[in-house]
Amino acid sequence: MKTIIILFAIFALACSKGVLFPLEWPWSKFDDVEVVDKLDLQKYLGHWYEIAAIPYHFEKGCHCSQANYSVNTDGTIKILNACKRDSVNNKYDVKEGKAWVKGNPAKLQLEFFFPFDARYWVLQVDRKYRYAMVGEPTKKHLWILSRTPTLSKRIYKKLVKFAENQGFPTNELEMTDQSCSKTFIDEL
């Protein structure tokens, strides 16, 4: 019994520090991360390709990673994340979640598996919503997104520099293979 209590205490402490999950606990401390001033969620909705990421452990080995955002009937945002695990020849693995605004529209909470939720903060987006960069305040994870499977080197470098200035470990960014011929929406 004592072992279970100790393991639970270690798990709770790790969660509170954002080690295992970037959870929001009343006692969690995160550094400030600069987000976009005004985010138009209606323009942000739709299909996005992952160009590069500092991924979560469960995103490792993904190819052709994509996301699609739409509005649920209750006003939350429906998230469909998909990737082909280990090979572009495999079928898409699609995960469904939801997000909601936490005050500032650029700071969303998302949930893929109850009771764990995470922060999804839009750090950069161009005025036409063609590309974006998303991170979370532990600075352990970062995603560079585009409406197309590619992004110019100039824009990519600009986004990486911004993330670096925010304290993200940009040396850990992994480029995402986008060589698939179809989107996951096409294959549903």
Side-chain angles (χ1 to χ4, degrees):
M1 182 65 170
K2 186 177 180 181
T3 304
I4 292 172
I5 292 171
I6 291 170
L7 288 174
F8 180 78
I10 292 169
F11 177 77
L13 180 62
C15 287
S16 72
K17 298 296 182 189
V19 173
L20 297 177
F21 307 102
L23 296 175
E24 181 178 353
W25 298 96
W27 56 86
S28 296
K29 300 289 184 215
F30 297 114
D31 293 332
D32 285 335
V33 176
E34 186 179 329
V35 298
V36 296
D37 289 332
K38 295 179 182 177
L39 181 70
D40 184 335
L41 284 173
Q42 288 302 313
K43 289 182 181 177
Y44 194 80
L45 298 175
H47 199 81
W48 291 92
Y49 294 87
E50 179 184 283
I51 302 301
I54 303 174
Y56 281 102
H57 62 88
F58 53 83
E59 295 174 305
K60 298 276 187 184
C62 277
H63 300 264
C64 307
S65 297
Q66 302 165 36
N68 197 74
Y69 306 109
S70 59
V71 178
N72 287 317
T73 56
D74 65 359
T76 59
I77 297 168
K78 178 180 180 180
I79 305 167
L80 292 176
N81 279 354
C83 79
K84 293 188 174 198
R85 298 221 178 261
D86 302 319
S87 170
V88 296
N89 298 318
N90 290 336
K91 290 185 176 191
Y92 279 105
D93 179 18
V94 181
K95 302 291 186 213
E96 184 174 337
K98 67 179 178 178
W100 57 94
V101 174
K102 289 283 289 190
N104 179 342
K107 293 182 177 182
L108 296 129
Q109 289 290 117
L110 58 87
E111 176 184 272
F112 281 95
F113 21 82
F114 180 81
F116 302 109
D117 61 352
R119 291 177 175 172
Y120 180 99
W121 290 7
V122 182
L123 310 176
Q124 292 279 289
V125 66
D126 78 314
R127 59 186 168 82
K128 293 186 178 179
Y129 288 71
R130 295 172 296 191
Y131 61 85
M133 184 166 56
V134 177
E136 47 82 37
T138 66
K139 299 180 183 176
K140 293 178 183 177
H141 305 287
L142 184 73
W143 298 268
I144 295 176
L145 309 172
S146 175
R147 296 292 190 177
T148 62
T150 60
L151 187 64
S152 78
K153 286 182 182 181
R154 180 184 62 78
I155 293 170
Y156 178 79
K157 287 179 181 179
K158 179 181 105 171
L159 293 172
V160 170
K161 184 68 175 167
F162 178 87
E164 189 177 291
N165 290 339
Q166 291 286 309
F168 285 88
T170 56
N171 60 313
E172 296 178 21
L173 271 169
E174 299 174 14
M175 297 301 293
T176 304
D177 174 8
Q178 287 292 352
S179 63
C180 298
S181 60
K182 293 182 178 180
T183 69
F184 77 91
I185 300 292
D186 296 332
E187 292 188 13
L188 288 178

